[in-house]
Amino acid sequence: MEIGITTFVENTPDPATGKLLAPHERMRNLMEEIELADQVGLDVFSIGEHHRPDFIVSSPAVVLAAAAVKTKSIKLSSAVTVLSSDDPVRVFQDFAHVDLLSEGRAEIIAGRGSFIESFPLFGYDLQDYNTLFSEKLDLLIKLNKSEKVTWSGKHRAAIDDLGVYPRPYQQELPIWVAVGGTPESVIRAASHGLPMALAIIGGMPERFVPFTDLYKKAYLQSGYNVDKLQLAINSHGYLADDSQKAADEFYGPYAYVMGKIGRERGWSGMTREQYDLMRGPGGSLLVGSPQQVIDKILWEHELFGNTRFLLHISVGTLPHAQVMHAIELLGTVVAPAVKKAIKDV
């Protein structure tokens, strides 16, 4: 199993002090986090795209290009690229540059986006939310497979036997499809033979088993080789030297962000009781000691048979030193133990 990290590069106030980092400080911290993840042997570092003040990266490819020249082994991915409101040609070109700079470590995780700010910003109608993604994913796949492309659709100008450059270092860029829990999205990923990344950020992980089962069934029915099936589980979490320390350190920043987003979407705020339930043995949060995180990753692997696990540590802004320590523990303690346990089964 591959193990790595996702981040939206949040920049939210420290709940204890109310202070906000300058954007350049947050970006500097991010570069140090990616470098450390590479040094401790993690497999993937993924950066999300947003267009709002509390998450500061609007162009993951630009940031990943900077990370490409600072790292040696780690895969560099978006999480996600909001393909619906972007131009697939430009997305492909941008990640081809990341791939060249990293000598073959770039990936794209494409999604429809759970935040909608990019749609009015780039002039797209939310009524086209589903068809935009489906059409643009089709074009991105064609661009990835062929140097010259002929294509036509509803939401973008046609392309008539034109070359798209540069080509990536890899023969093809790995393209994953991000899924939040709709059967249509699951089937879309499987029908294209693309890896699926499933985000589990609430509720009980067990209720997502039908989605992963559907993906595996549709993947096989679409005629693809089961040996090439790849499935990622992405979850919120944090680890420290002991369980109570991890729980106490993560709660404030996590509750701040989830409460803020909750108010925007009509949810109730996050209470400590809810939080403690979510980080319990059957909940969606992976917050605790290294052994607790190991146990939950292995439990979820039994549920889903996933080939990748990505931990989203920075839901809200934590002190940089704490994030760095969590990355170190994930890379030096958790990842080796998880991989050994799976290999020994």
Side-chain angles (χ1 to χ4, degrees), residues 261-274:
I261 294 172
R263 289 189 295 273
E264 293 175 6
R265 301 184 179 186
W267 307 338
S268 59
M270 174 65 60
T271 67
R272 182 64 190 244
E273 184 180 13
Q274 290 170 325

Side-chain angles (χ1 to χ4, degrees), residues 38 78 94 142 168 239 255 294:
D38 184 48
S78 56
D94 287 347
K142 289 182 182 297
L239 55 163
I294 290 166

Side-chain angles (χ1 to χ4, degrees), residues 5-7 9 26-48 57 60-77 105 320 323-324 327:
I5 289 172
T6 66
T7 181
V9 197
R26 181 64 187 93
M27 197 68 78
R28 183 181 63 218
N29 289 349
L30 173 66
M31 288 294 110
E32 292 179 2
E33 292 163 13
I34 299 173
E35 286 185 272
L36 179 60
D38 184 48
Q39 291 164 6
V40 298
L42 290 171
D43 299 296
V44 188
F45 202 103
S46 305
I47 298 175
V57 171
V62 172
V63 181
L64 294 170
V69 299
K70 288 178 169 286
T71 55
K72 296 179 180 179
S73 303
I74 198 165
K75 294 178 181 178
L76 301 168
S77 177
R105 293 184 283 121
H320 181 48
V323 174
M324 294 288 277
I327 292 171

Side-chain angles (χ1 to χ4, degrees), residues 238-243 246 286-298 325-326 328-335 337-338:
Y238 175 72
L239 55 163
D241 294 318
D242 65 74
S243 177
L286 285 84
V287 176
S289 67
Q291 188 60 53
Q292 287 175 305
V293 173
I294 290 166
D295 292 343
K296 189 167 279 191
I297 292 175
L298 291 173
H325 187 52
E328 182 180 8
L329 291 174
L330 185 66
T332 62
V333 181
V334 173
V338 168

Side-chain angles (χ1 to χ4, degrees), residues 47-233:
I47 298 175
E49 172 192 343
H50 292 86
H51 302 267
R52 48 187 291 144
D54 40 0
F55 304 118
I56 65 173
V57 171
S58 61
S59 179
V62 172
V63 181
L64 294 170
V69 299
K70 288 178 169 286
T71 55
K72 296 179 180 179
S73 303
I74 198 165
K75 294 178 181 178
L76 301 168
S77 177
S78 56
V80 302
T81 291
V82 185
L83 191 60
S84 306
S85 57
D86 211 333
D87 183 347
V89 173
R90 208 58 169 134
V91 169
F92 177 81
Q93 290 175 324
D94 287 347
F95 280 87
H97 284 95
V98 177
D99 206 47
L100 293 171
L101 287 165
S102 65
E103 297 185 351
R105 293 184 283 121
E107 294 185 353
I108 300 169
I109 301 181
R112 295 182 296 173
S114 62
F115 293 87
I116 60 172
E117 290 84 1
S118 64
F119 288 82
L121 185 63
F122 297 113
Y124 291 98
D125 191 333
L126 278 170
Q127 291 185 346
D128 299 324
Y129 185 78
N130 290 316
T131 58
L132 277 166
F133 182 74
S134 181
E135 182 177 289
K136 292 188 175 187
L137 180 62
D138 176 67
L139 175 54
L140 182 62
I141 292 169
K142 289 182 182 297
L143 294 164
N144 201 29
K145 291 186 177 297
S146 177
E147 182 175 330
K148 287 195 172 183
V149 173
T150 296
W151 178 91
S152 63
K154 176 182 177 182
H155 299 290
R156 189 201 185 279
I159 302 173
D160 185 13
D161 194 33
L162 295 177
V164 178
Y165 307 101
R167 305 308 298 178
Y169 183 93
Q170 302 173 82
Q171 184 173 348
E172 293 183 16
L173 291 169
I175 298 173
W176 294 62
V177 174
V179 173
T182 62
E184 295 80 10
S185 296
V186 171
I187 292 171
R188 180 187 293 115
S191 64
H192 284 294
L194 296 176
M196 184 177 81
L198 176 65
I200 301 178
I201 60 173
M204 312 300 278
E206 288 169 299
R207 73 181 181 89
F208 290 89
V209 170
F211 293 103
T212 57
D213 287 348
L214 175 62
Y215 172 69
K216 294 171 186 177
K217 181 180 178 181
Y219 189 92
L220 290 174
Q221 289 177 340
S222 298
Y224 297 105
N225 186 345
V226 67
D227 293 335
K228 295 184 177 180
L229 186 149
Q230 295 182 73
L231 172 64
I233 300 298

